[in-house]
């Protein structure tokens, strides 16, 4: 069975995060998805904002293309909340930043019913996104925009998602805000 080609644009850009969910994940290329914008208004299970994409002519979302074993698909769908917050978009075309040919990939997008413009991401979630963008050498101006995204402190410091995020960030060499420690 052919590998699953997945475009990550949120916290899954950080390789260590995605590999905890999908052990077969292998980074192929940093890439750009044209005519889409990024928003942090997808309603997370913890009631914070998570990253999503939305069609916006003339804009671009940067992210990372990974190859996955199809056996990891159920774990990825579960982690992303497929059918409970994100829809799977099976056929997008991204442009690798290394100059390679366009790639067909799948990704996730929140439908309008799961978006709330009043939501903000938790600081640790933004940290995962910023760290993933740095790790994969996304354009500096894009990384700066991600880092400038308004975030809020998690009101539950013992939240398992927060604890896991901080462990992943530390293991990858990043601080909780996504800044590189090395």
């Amino acid at each position: 069975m052919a590998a699953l080609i997945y475009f990550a644009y949120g916290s899954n850009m950080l390789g260590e995060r995605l590999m905890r969910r999908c052990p077969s994940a292998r980074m192929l290329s940093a890439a750009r998805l044209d005519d889409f914008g990024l928003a942090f208004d997808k309603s997370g299970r913890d009631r914070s904002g998570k990253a999503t994409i939305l069609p916006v002519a003339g804009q671009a979302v940067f992210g990372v293309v990974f190859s996955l074993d199809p056996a990891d698909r159920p774990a990825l769908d579960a982690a992303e909340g497929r059918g409970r917050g994100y829809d799977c978009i099976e056929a997008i075309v991204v442009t690798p930043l290394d100059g390679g040919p366009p790639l067909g990939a799948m990704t996730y997008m929140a439908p309008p019913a799961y978006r709330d413009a009043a939501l903000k991401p938790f600081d640790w979630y933004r940290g995962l996104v910023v760290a993933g963008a740095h790790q994969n050498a996304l354009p500096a101006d894009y990384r700066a925009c991600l880092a400038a995204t308004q975030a809020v402190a998690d009101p539950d410091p013992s939240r398992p998602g927060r604890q896991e995020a901080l462990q992943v960030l530390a293991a990858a060499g990043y601080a909780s805000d996504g800044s590189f420690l090395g």
Side-chain angles (χ1 to χ4, degrees):
M1 184 174 271
L4 179 68
I5 306 302
Y6 166 55
F7 177 69
Y9 55 81
S11 66
N12 283 343
M13 290 191 296
L14 186 62
E16 290 79 357
R17 166 88 158 183
L18 183 59
M19 286 191 296
R20 282 189 178 209
R21 296 171 167 183
C22 301
S24 70
R26 299 295 172 260
M27 189 268 207
L28 297 178
S29 178
R32 184 184 73 241
L33 175 62
D34 291 324
D35 294 322
F36 279 83
L38 183 71
F40 285 89
D41 63 359
K42 187 267 180 186
S43 182
R45 290 182 284 255
D46 57 13
R47 292 297 302 148
S48 71
K50 305 298 184 202
T52 189
I53 56 173
L54 59 153
V56 180
Q59 289 192 17
V61 173
F62 291 88
V64 183
V65 179
F66 291 92
S67 172
L68 305 173
D69 185 304
D72 278 342
R73 177 68 179 263
L76 183 61
D77 283 346
E80 293 303 306
R82 182 178 185 183
R84 296 173 287 110
Y86 281 113
D87 291 338
C88 184
I89 309 302
E90 296 287 350
I92 61 165
V93 176
V94 296
T95 303
L97 299 185
D98 63 8
L103 295 170
M106 56 79 60
T107 196
Y108 298 88
M109 182 170 69
Y114 288 92
R115 296 181 61 213
D116 180 348
L119 293 176
K120 303 285 183 250
F122 286 144
D123 50 4
W124 54 262
Y125 178 81
R126 180 190 58 195
L128 289 166
V129 177
V130 170
H134 177 270
Q135 183 181 67
N136 293 287
L138 297 188
D141 59 339
Y142 191 78
R143 293 193 321 254
C145 285
L146 293 173
T149 298
Q150 186 179 9
V152 296
D154 190 335
D156 180 2
S158 64
R159 184 184 312 277
R162 179 182 181 273
Q163 295 302 315
E164 179 192 15
L166 296 178
Q167 291 170 3
V168 168
L169 285 162
Y174 291 90
S176 64
D177 66 355
S179 59
F180 187 57
L181 297 173

